[in-house]
Amino acid sequence: MKQYIQENKERFFEELFSLLRIPSVSSLEQHKPDMAACAERLVELLKEAGADEAGVYPTAGHPVVFGQKLIDPSLPTVLVYGHYDVQPVDPIELWHSDPFEPEIRDGAIYARGANDDKGQLFMHIKAFEFLVRTGALKHNVKFILEGEEEIGSPSLAAWATENKDLLAADIILVSDTTMISESVPSINCGMRGLSYVEVKVTGPNKDLHSGHYGGAVANPINVLCDMISSLIDKDGHVTVKGFYDDVVELSAEDRAKLSRAPFDLHEYKEFLDIKEVKGEAGYSTLERTGIRPCLDVNGIWGGYIGEGAKTVLPSVAHAKISMRLVPNQDSATITRLFEEHFKAIAPDYVKVEVKPHHGGDGFLIPISSPAYKAAEKAMTEVYGIEPVPSRGGGSIPILADLQRILGIDPLLMGFGLERDTIHSPNESYLLKQLFAGMESIVLFYKYY
């Protein structure tokens, strides 16, 4: 594969850049035509790579791309999952280059989607292409590439249920995660779930003069801040009643195994430019992001935020809140518990609304499975060191749904790094990770 990459890398760049130039932002209505264009481009790339068939399939939301090459029904079937939608680019002024005009700088591709997930799904298409063109493909391969992962995959579970036979496979192969570092490869054996809500706190029926009414009428922003502050106690525990009821505590033995992952706290703080970390008492930083649930405010607003001053006592205040969940916590249950709790703690001088957005459950996979062992062997060969099993702090909610619907486990061979700043300005993907990913995927097929 190394030689194939060297001989074709300029073509690879052109093809990947053709995807990255399409602003396929699933959350913004104005980009709906771009979503369709990106799906069509993926179909072209799958067919050029050797798929027997590939097409765009409508869903209740953005379309799904499905393609496949069937060698022999008796052979194992790998279902490759990825997503072609990307996050919005805001704040645009912090980008050093156009987010939808990819550039290669300092050994990395910079663009929105360079890592998450266009760059990583592209590795699978090129690894597949290599196997087909060299006659080395000994598996049936199917691709399911969706356009709604960044908004919680609201349409894919229903589509997968309706097309369960079409998607039948032995394993779901995914590259949409990060590894510990370039020198310490890792394979995610689990990910957290998600419950995402928006809250609205209303006080007076209109914005008021802060001099005429300040001190006499409740300010919704102040109230919202107090309510949010009460959601986490001094030990970092979420105070929502019932939040931890289904959380499974890991044994000391399991925690010791996960602690094998090398972690430099000083380097971590230096990278983030913070003096100290903060989280749930009694757990390490890696445990806080891997095996424990949490609650965070993702955005908060209200009143006057324009230039200059406006002495206003606002009528309403808003916040977006996400709760990362661990396996065994049910997303719908947590959303209900949060809504009940948030309304219960609201004082009489405000009205509260809770609007659920999206969510999904977490999952775990056994590290003794043939697929995990194949990935472990492949990455050991490429990186020269055995990968460490890890728990992902992020969420890909649809994978738990696909695991349930299809009855097969996902395998997360992610090659992103924290330096890639996905979801933030200046997203990037190191070229050596892009190429190492291709090599590892080819070897996975060899050993699986």
Side-chain angles (χ1 to χ4, degrees):
M1 185 64 186
K2 285 184 182 293
Q3 183 178 345
Y4 191 77
I5 290 171
Q6 287 302 313
E7 293 172 351
N8 293 276
K9 66 179 181 180
E10 294 305 320
R11 173 173 63 87
F12 288 176
F13 292 150
E14 290 175 9
E15 292 173 349
L16 176 55
F17 286 10
S18 73
L19 288 175
L20 296 174
R21 289 190 179 103
I22 303 173
S24 49
V25 183
S26 55
S27 61
L28 301 177
E29 183 65 25
Q30 66 262 36
H31 288 295
K32 192 171 182 178
D34 299 311
M35 299 299 296
C38 196
E40 292 290 353
R41 180 59 182 137
L42 283 168
V43 168
E44 293 174 354
L45 290 173
L46 286 173
K47 289 180 176 178
E48 290 168 5
D52 292 331
E53 56 179 298
V56 176
Y57 291 71
T59 73
H62 296 303
V64 164
V65 174
F66 177 80
Q68 64 180 354
K69 187 172 188 64
L70 303 180
I71 305 292
D72 186 326
S74 66
L75 294 174
T77 300
V78 175
L79 175 63
V80 176
Y81 165 88
H83 66 91
Y84 63 89
D85 64 321
V86 298
Q87 285 276 325
V89 298
D90 302 313
I92 185 67
E93 67 273 10
L94 296 184
W95 285 80
H96 300 320
S97 57
D98 186 331
F100 294 114
E101 187 50 56
E103 288 186 7
I104 296 177
R105 302 193 306 269
D106 303 320
I109 299 171
Y110 285 82
R112 175 57 89 222
N115 170 330
D116 183 23
D117 180 44
K118 292 178 180 178
Q120 295 215 59
L121 72 83
F122 185 77
M123 299 183 307
H124 286 272
I125 297 175
K126 294 300 105 178
F128 170 72
E129 174 187 293
F130 170 79
L131 292 169
V132 171
R133 295 188 181 182
T134 59
L137 186 64
K138 306 299 180 187
H139 299 75
N140 304 307
V141 182
K142 299 179 179 181
F143 292 86
I144 180 171
L145 310 175
E146 69 155 321
E148 296 185 329
E149 193 276 340
E150 299 292 6
I151 55 173
S153 305
S155 309
L156 187 54
W159 188 87
T161 301
E162 294 170 2
N163 294 275
K164 184 176 178 180
D165 292 340
L166 184 67
L167 299 175
D170 297 288
I171 190 73
I172 307 170
L173 186 58
V174 185
S175 293
D176 189 22
T177 52
T178 59
M179 58 172 54
I180 293 172
S181 73
E182 301 168 61
S183 57
V184 185
S186 56
I187 302 173
N188 280 0
C189 56
M191 296 198 76
R192 293 195 287 187
L194 174 69
S195 168
Y196 193 100
V197 300
E198 183 174 328
V199 299
K200 177 182 179 183
V201 174
T202 304
N205 59 3
K206 55 182 173 290
D207 287 355
L208 303 175
H209 188 293
S210 65
H212 293 173
Y213 292 92
V217 177
N219 185 318
I221 296 178
N222 296 351
V223 176
L224 175 59
C225 289
D226 286 341
M227 292 175 70
I228 287 173
S229 180
S230 76
L231 293 174
I232 300 173
D233 68 17
K234 62 181 179 60
D235 291 321
H237 296 114
V238 177
T239 60
V240 174
K241 187 177 180 180
F243 187 81
Y244 293 97
D245 285 357
D246 296 321
V247 174
V248 177
E249 296 287 342
L250 265 67
S251 67
E253 182 182 0
D254 284 343
R255 290 178 70 177
K257 287 180 181 177
L258 288 172
S259 69
R260 287 176 47 213
F263 179 72
D264 187 321
L265 183 59
H266 174 75
E267 185 179 287
Y268 181 85
K269 291 187 290 187
E270 193 174 66
F271 174 72
L272 297 175
D273 194 20
I274 57 176
K275 289 184 177 180
E276 195 49 78
V277 294
K278 189 177 187 298
E280 187 179 2
Y283 295 91
S284 69
T285 298
L286 287 184
E287 288 177 328
R288 289 168 180 168
T289 59
I291 67 172
R292 300 299 294 172
C294 65
L295 181 152
D296 282 290
V297 178
N298 304 130
I300 186 167
W301 69 100
Y304 180 70
I305 56 174
E307 185 178 354
K310 182 181 181 183
T311 52
V312 63
L313 192 156
S315 171
V316 296
H318 307 258
K320 295 180 187 288
I321 297 172
S322 66
M323 290 159 281
R324 297 289 175 170
L325 314 176
V326 293
N328 213 45
Q329 282 184 299
D330 177 71
S331 173
T333 299
I334 294 298
T335 300
R336 175 180 57 80
L337 291 174
F338 176 88
E339 183 172 2
E340 292 171 356
H341 177 85
F342 203 72
K343 289 180 176 179
I345 64 173
D348 291 339
Y349 35 78
V350 294
K351 297 183 287 291
V352 167
E353 298 172 50
V354 177
K355 176 185 176 183
H357 273 285
H358 63 272
D361 299 335
F363 63 88
L364 285 174
I365 61 169
I367 63 175
S368 58
S369 70
Y372 185 93
K373 292 298 184 185
E376 183 180 60
K377 189 172 182 180
M379 292 177 70
T380 299
E381 192 167 320
V382 172
Y383 285 89
I385 183 174
E386 184 177 307
V388 175
S390 65
R391 294 273 196 101
S395 306
I396 309 178
I398 190 60
L399 293 184
D401 290 328
L402 292 177
Q403 186 182 41
R404 173 181 51 81
I405 294 165
L406 304 179
I408 54 177
D409 287 334
L411 174 70
L412 283 75
M413 289 181 70
F415 297 89
L417 300 169
E418 286 300 323
R419 66 163 302 284
D420 297 339
T421 63
I422 63 172
H423 291 208
S424 299
N426 304 303
E427 178 180 350
S428 64
Y429 195 25
L430 282 176
L431 296 180
K432 59 182 176 181
Q433 288 296 101
L434 175 73
F435 299 145
M438 293 178 188
E439 293 176 44
S440 298
I441 293 164
V442 166
L443 289 172
F444 167 80
Y445 283 99
K446 176 182 178 181
Y447 297 127
Y448 179 53

